[in-house]
Amino acid sequence: MARLLRAATWGLFPWRGYCSQKAKGELCRDFVEALKAVVGGSHVSTATVVREQHGSDESVHRCEPPDAVVWPQNVEQVSRLAALCYRQGVPIIPFGTGTGLEGGVCAVQGGVCINLTHMDRILELNLEDFSVVVEPGVTRKALNLHLRDSGLWFPVDPGADASLCGMAATGASGTNAVRYGTMRDNVLNLEVVLPDGRLLHTAGQGRHFRLGFWPEIPHHTAWYSPCVSLGPRKSAAGYNLTGLFVGSEGTLGLITATTLRLHPVPEAIVAATCAFPSVQAAVDSTVHILQAAVPVARIEFLDEVMMDACNRYSKLNCSVAPTLFLEFHGSQQALEEQLQRTEEIVQQNGASDFSWAKAAEERSQLWTARHSAWYAALAMRPGCKGYSTDVCVPISRLPEILVQTKEDLNASGLTGSIVGHVGDGNFHCILLVNPDDAEELGRVKAFAEQLGRRALALHGTCTGEHGIGLGKRQLLREEVGAVGVKTMQQLKAVLDPQGLMNPGKVL
């Protein structure tokens, strides 16, 4: 596979070759010593077990280990490492927490894996400007723990406790996206080391313009004052370079810091669960709630298979039926109105076992179970790997595709479940597969490709939040077209003329 991918890139990028007398898995001794000179000998490893740990993520893609792993301590070292690799024609693979689902860390051409987790500082917190600057080693849970007494929080929450810079690199999302947006809406600026070692600040150094929607700032927040400085609310200065690098999956540069938009902690929060007689009823309720303009913060769907798995794995006691998990944020008075309207809607669609969770402990148990759904699914078939689809469609087409997908899954003979952020039209089939069973793996991939093309036919996307990685490159071509792919290739060639940054991914 590595040889095929290397051959495929020869036409697009001139491969210079590094230590050409060595096989993959080996680097010249002088080059390894040069890496050690940059970061110190204890922060470089060529041990097989370490390389294999860095050659795979949570996906079904086979391990493709790098030739070496390095742990820089600061951005200056990252810049020097990139420049060193650039001069020698050595591929670079950025690494955060390794929790991706699309093979984004697989070193398909070997090279150097740059593990950024030792850079774990919160560099700057601007309470009045609702922003924070973090390094790649800071995870979403660590940031919110740091913010716990500030009255602010960061709401983007993929299932894993992922690196925030890694989340920016993949354009991640989560359960709160229906209200607070995805990483694309919440990244204000990026510090990026380009492939040749140059340092780029995508919105200008120290700036934190809000290029997306402006967050609602409730006046009940204790520290809120209409006179505080909220920083520049917009900018029309040049191209949106921040948007270019968000979702670039490590193929254009190494993100060494990200400036994030923060949000006020709501005055009151209430969660709810309700079971439905069918998938159709649950998804219809989702659409009706959104059409009624109920400002729901979270609305998650779990089919009966996933609900049973979560009951077992997370010790819940919910009905084994198609289920919605919901959450509402706002003032006490606003929540009462939202809850009443939502209950009316779901009851009209046949909901049962409707229950509210107002206590923080109850809500935490519910959402911990939801965030653990991936691992609950894996526990259904121990020893197997998970393959997650990631389609997203317009809300109006969600009932059609989700009901059809459930029927297809039941008829496929595959072991799997459905879970999703249905409030923004995004859902996942988590399919369990023996990666050593070529026939079963082929059926899983065929199912995923069929679902991806169905989403495209409904004017959706093949990936709402996981990215393209290794497995969705053909679907990307079908989604954006030949001109779109060519434009991406041209951008890639300008920024990374040797094709060294995370080769084999996206394009």
Side-chain angles (χ1 to χ4, degrees):
M1 175 60 78
R3 292 175 181 172
L4 289 174
L5 287 168
R6 182 180 289 119
T9 61
W10 278 343
L12 182 60
F13 302 109
W15 181 259
R16 294 175 58 183
Y18 62 97
C19 302
S20 57
Q21 74 274 19
K22 299 288 188 179
K24 182 183 173 185
E26 298 181 72
L27 290 172
C28 296
R29 180 178 299 178
D30 289 347
F31 185 81
V32 174
E33 291 303 314
L35 294 175
K36 292 178 179 179
V38 174
V39 298
S42 63
H43 297 134
V44 177
S45 179
T46 56
T48 300
V49 64
V50 174
R51 294 189 296 108
E52 288 180 349
Q53 288 171 350
H54 288 77
S56 62
D57 52 17
E58 297 274 5
S59 73
V60 75
H61 297 288
R62 290 188 179 277
C63 177
E64 295 275 2
D67 300 326
V69 181
V70 298
W71 288 264
Q73 311 301 301
N74 52 57
V75 65
E76 291 79 14
Q77 290 183 357
V78 176
S79 177
R80 290 173 62 192
L81 288 169
L84 176 61
C85 291
Y86 187 81
R87 289 195 300 270
Q88 298 297 320
V90 179
I92 300 170
I93 304 92
F95 190 96
T97 56
T99 54
L101 295 172
E102 297 297 339
V105 301
C106 296
V108 295
Q109 294 181 4
V112 173
C113 173
I114 299 183
N115 184 320
L116 298 162
T117 55
H118 286 192
M119 297 170 60
D120 59 358
R121 295 177 299 165
I122 295 175
L123 299 174
E124 185 178 354
L125 175 59
N126 302 292
L127 295 178
E128 292 185 341
D129 289 334
F130 292 70
S131 67
V132 67
V133 184
V134 300
E135 289 186 322
V138 180
T139 66
R140 64 174 184 87
K141 288 183 180 180
L143 175 59
N144 280 322
L145 183 63
H146 183 82
L147 295 171
R148 65 188 181 279
D149 298 322
S150 71
L152 298 176
W153 72 308
F154 185 70
V156 183
D157 62 334
D161 185 24
S163 157
L164 290 160
C165 288
M167 289 164 58
T170 57
S173 180
T175 65
N176 287 299
V178 64
R179 172 127 183 200
Y180 298 97
T182 71
M183 288 301 286
R184 291 191 182 277
D185 305 299
N186 287 282
V187 174
L188 308 176
N189 198 352
L190 293 169
E191 178 185 82
V192 181
V193 172
L194 296 175
D196 60 3
R198 289 177 298 156
L199 191 62
L200 168 69
H201 294 90
T202 57
Q205 189 167 2
R207 306 186 192 281
H208 38 92
F209 297 112
R210 286 163 169 84
L211 299 174
F213 62 86
W214 182 248
E216 176 185 353
I217 303 172
H219 291 259
H220 68 259
T221 305
W223 46 261
Y224 172 79
S225 165
C227 297
V228 298
S229 168
L230 297 177
R233 293 179 65 159
K234 58 186 178 182
S235 171
Y239 299 134
N240 182 0
L241 295 179
T242 304
L244 174 63
F245 282 87
V246 173
S248 60
E249 303 184 39
T251 63
L252 301 179
L254 297 114
I255 298 175
T256 52
T258 179
T259 304
L260 301 170
R261 169 187 290 123
L262 301 177
H263 297 257
V265 174
E267 174 189 343
I269 302 175
V270 175
T273 63
C274 46
F276 292 86
S278 66
V279 171
Q280 181 81 55
V283 184
D284 284 346
S285 291
T286 299
V287 175
H288 297 160
I289 289 168
L290 296 173
Q291 289 176 337
V294 178
V296 63
R298 289 165 156 170
I299 182 164
E300 297 286 302
F301 170 79
L302 301 86
D303 72 357
E304 73 283 357
V305 179
M306 179 58 78
M307 202 64 253
D308 184 48
C310 287
N311 280 344
R312 296 170 185 270
Y313 186 83
S314 299
K315 305 300 187 288
L316 297 181
N317 190 31
C318 296
S319 298
V320 179
T323 300
L324 290 181
F325 287 7
L326 305 101
E327 190 167 271
F328 305 89
H329 297 174
S331 66
Q332 293 286 359
Q333 180 180 354
L335 287 190
E336 290 178 7
E337 297 173 356
Q338 294 172 31
L339 296 176
Q340 180 181 354
R341 182 68 182 118
T342 299
E343 191 166 1
E344 292 172 355
I345 291 172
V346 298
Q347 286 179 348
Q348 290 170 2
N349 285 291
S352 61
D353 297 323
F354 198 84
S355 61
W356 303 108
K358 295 184 178 181
E361 184 177 347
E362 292 180 284
R363 290 188 283 104
S364 177
Q365 182 186 24
L366 186 69
W367 293 111
T368 298
R370 170 59 188 91
H371 282 125
S372 300
W374 172 258
Y375 303 104
L378 293 179
M380 293 165 53
R381 194 177 172 191
C384 288
K385 299 280 285 185
Y387 186 106
S388 178
T389 66
D390 185 38
V391 299
C392 186
V393 297
I395 290 295
S396 63
R397 312 307 294 270
L398 183 63
E400 174 185 350
I401 190 171
L402 217 162
V403 170
Q404 183 61 57
T405 299
K406 180 63 176 177
E407 293 176 357
D408 291 348
L409 182 57
N410 288 339
S412 69
L414 298 170
T415 302
S417 57
I418 300 178
V419 62
H421 320 300
V422 287
D424 51 17
N426 183 208
F427 69 93
H428 314 296
C429 291
I430 301 179
L431 308 170
L432 304 178
V433 58
N434 177 358
D436 296 321
D437 185 336
E439 188 274 335
E440 184 180 41
L441 188 59
R443 288 193 293 127
V444 165
K445 291 182 176 180
F447 180 96
E449 289 178 2
Q450 179 188 41
L451 177 55
R453 292 191 172 97
R454 179 177 294 135
L456 297 183
L458 297 177
H459 306 292
T461 176
C462 65
T463 177
E465 57 186 11
H466 295 165
I468 296 297
L470 288 172
K472 295 187 173 74
R473 288 171 294 176
Q474 178 57 41
L475 288 172
L476 174 67
R477 294 181 178 89
E478 296 175 28
E479 181 168 332
V480 303
V483 175
V485 169
K486 182 63 175 178
T487 302
M488 292 182 192
Q489 290 173 336
Q490 290 171 330
L491 288 168
K492 166 80 168 170
V494 169
L495 291 169
D496 183 18
Q498 297 188 66
L500 299 178
M501 286 302 311
N502 211 8
K505 318 300 165 44
V506 183
L507 299 174

